[in-house]
Amino acid sequence: SATATTLLSVYWNPDAQDHLVTTLPSPPAGYHRTNLPTALVLSKPLDDTSPLSLYYHPLRQDYLTLIKVWAGETRCTPTKR
């Protein structure tokens, strides 16, 4: 059977000077799709795969997409989907 995938898109916010890499179908206000290459990612986790996590730093107005969250304290908070 085919494995379901979804588009991983790259958006840019010129005011925040921030790239956002996400599977969200529409970006937050101020972000626009770029011409940077996109990719397909799994829609649901499979065994032996790592999920993407999207974090946001409110003071810097900066998004960060990670494959794995590092150990230790972070001032970024997970975004709600």
Side-chain angles (χ1 to χ4, degrees):
S1 71
T3 301
T5 59
T6 190
L7 186 63
L8 185 67
S9 299
V10 181
Y11 298 97
W12 171 249
N13 182 327
D15 295 330
Q17 296 288 295
D18 182 43
H19 280 99
L20 167 61
V21 179
T22 183
T23 58
L24 295 173
S26 58
Y31 285 82
H32 308 282
R33 189 181 301 274
T34 68
N35 291 325
L36 294 172
T38 58
L40 291 174
V41 295
L42 298 173
S43 298
K44 297 190 185 286
L46 297 176
D47 290 342
D48 297 324
T49 63
S50 297
L52 291 174
S53 298
L54 180 61
Y55 289 84
Y56 181 72
H57 192 289
L59 297 177
R60 292 184 180 171
Q61 298 180 359
D62 185 34
Y63 284 93
L64 177 63
T65 303
L66 299 171
I67 292 176
K68 192 174 187 179
V69 178
W70 60 89
E73 181 182 343
T74 179
R75 293 188 180 146
C76 297
T77 55
T79 60
K80 304 286 186 229
R81 288 203 84 204

